[in-house]
Amino acid sequence: MHGPDAAGPSPFEASAALRHLRMTVMDWMRDAIPDFASLHPRHALQAYQTDRKVWPMRPAIFFDCDGVLNEEPGGHGVLGPDDVRLIPGAGEAVRAARDAGYLAIIVTNRAQVAKGFVTLAGLEAIFARIRELLAQDDATIDAIYFCPHHPEQTPGGAARFQIACECRKPGTLLFRRATADFGIDLGRSALIGDSLRDIGAGCAMGLRAYGVHTGYGCRDVERYPDQAPPVPDRMFSDVREAVAFCVTHRAIAEPGQDVWAERKTDSG
Ligand SMILES: [Mg+2]
Ligand SMILES: [Zn+2]
């Protein structure tokens, strides 16, 4: 049917073309970044992106869920869709964040799964309810990352989730996953949480870690798995106020520029 000549570029030609393209890109980056040679390739790429504003990385607001967007019921937490009650202004806050160019990403510990109180299907129903209520305020969540684990073995629990993991906050695995999935510019991003576990994860990621007085109000020192609980960069009365602060600063934020120099003030 087709002779060798009709089969398009040979594998050799294709790889040569790719190699040429790669070298062209490297040349661009070498021009753009003074200390290119001393940088790890990934950091060089980030520096290039930041400098040239190509393939822009996006800022995100990482929201904790219970106690921030919806009421923290206490006890074993939210166990079904009927337990979901939005905190006033939560929908408005998420909408405002996205209107300002932030990704809105939920990162949430769901130890109820490991403890056997909620199934994964039940969890989906809870998340669907949260999305549904937020949608009533025209608010959309870009993604929900959850940790179903808990390190303790409890009778009646789901054994496969009863493990020590890296995703349960203050672990950072879910944040790292989201950052890779979405190409998030952590330097322009923030976390909003009501628990010191949220704040600890945010600090470990180098995010602005903002606390709210709703839910646990960042007073859950005795629940923190460490001798030295983290300190929120700022405290706000609720998620609406926290997002308003982020949006105000987003307006003047340029990639590579630290407009958050006020951090570590005014907390408490
Ligand atoms: Mg919470
Ligand atoms: Zn986990």
Side-chain angles (χ1 to χ4, degrees):
M1 305 247 289
H2 297 290
D5 291 346
S10 72
F12 173 77
E13 285 167 327
S15 72
L18 278 178
R19 204 158 49 232
H20 176 73
L21 177 64
R22 182 170 176 276
M23 291 192 50
T24 308
V25 170
M26 296 296 261
D27 284 345
W28 284 340
M29 290 172 65
R30 212 168 272 121
D31 281 352
I33 306 162
D35 51 352
F36 179 84
S38 66
L39 290 173
H40 183 279
R42 190 169 21 133
H43 297 156
L45 181 61
Q46 280 185 1
Y48 181 74
Q49 289 174 326
T50 302
D51 195 48
R52 289 299 168 98
K53 297 179 189 146
V54 291
W55 310 315
M57 296 194 295
R58 293 184 61 186
I61 295 182
F62 295 98
F63 295 91
D64 176 50
C65 204
D66 303 348
V68 174
L69 296 176
N70 58 286
E71 306 281 359
E72 168 61 68
H76 292 302
V78 172
L79 301 183
D82 294 343
D83 292 339
V84 177
R85 310 246 183 289
L86 282 196
I87 287 174
E92 188 189 315
V94 170
R95 194 179 66 227
R98 289 187 89 256
D99 285 350
Y102 287 105
L103 293 157
I105 295 179
I106 289 177
V107 179
T108 175
N109 286 353
R110 293 288 159 171
Q112 296 90 347
V113 177
K115 292 174 180 172
F117 297 129
V118 179
T119 62
L120 288 178
L123 196 53
E124 289 306 318
I126 290 168
F127 292 152
R129 181 63 177 150
I130 292 170
R131 287 183 185 275
E132 181 188 357
L133 290 175
L134 289 171
Q136 292 176 4
D137 288 323
D138 294 322
T140 310
I141 294 292
D142 290 285
I144 300 176
Y145 292 82
F146 67 91
C147 165
H149 307 117
H150 195 274
E152 284 166 22
Q153 313 284 318
T154 35
R160 68 184 170 120
F161 296 123
Q162 295 182 334
I163 57 166
C165 65
E166 286 185 49
C167 49
R168 178 172 165 77
K169 293 176 287 186
T172 56
L173 182 59
L174 298 177
F175 292 85
R176 287 181 272 141
R177 210 170 267 164
T179 300
D181 288 349
F182 286 89
I184 291 169
D185 183 347
L186 294 172
R188 291 189 294 144
S189 299
L191 164 135
I192 302 174
D194 72 308
S195 162
L196 291 173
R197 293 175 185 279
D198 308 322
I199 302 302
C203 291
M205 287 298 292
L207 294 161
R208 281 77 202 175
Y210 298 139
V212 287
H213 288 297
T214 52
Y216 286 107
C218 294
R219 292 184 305 271
D220 51 341
V221 180
E222 73 292 338
R223 294 166 72 236
Y224 200 73
D226 197 323
Q227 294 302 311
V231 178
D233 289 314
R234 277 173 182 264
M235 288 296 294
F236 296 94
S237 59
D238 58 18
V239 67
R240 175 165 44 190
E241 198 183 90
V243 167
F245 180 85
C246 294
V247 168
T248 303
H249 288 74
R250 169 77 179 89
I252 55 171
E254 283 294 321
Q257 199 181 326
D258 191 4
V259 297
W260 303 89
E262 82 299 332
R263 80 181 297 196
K264 290 294 179 197
T265 60
D266 183 30
S267 56

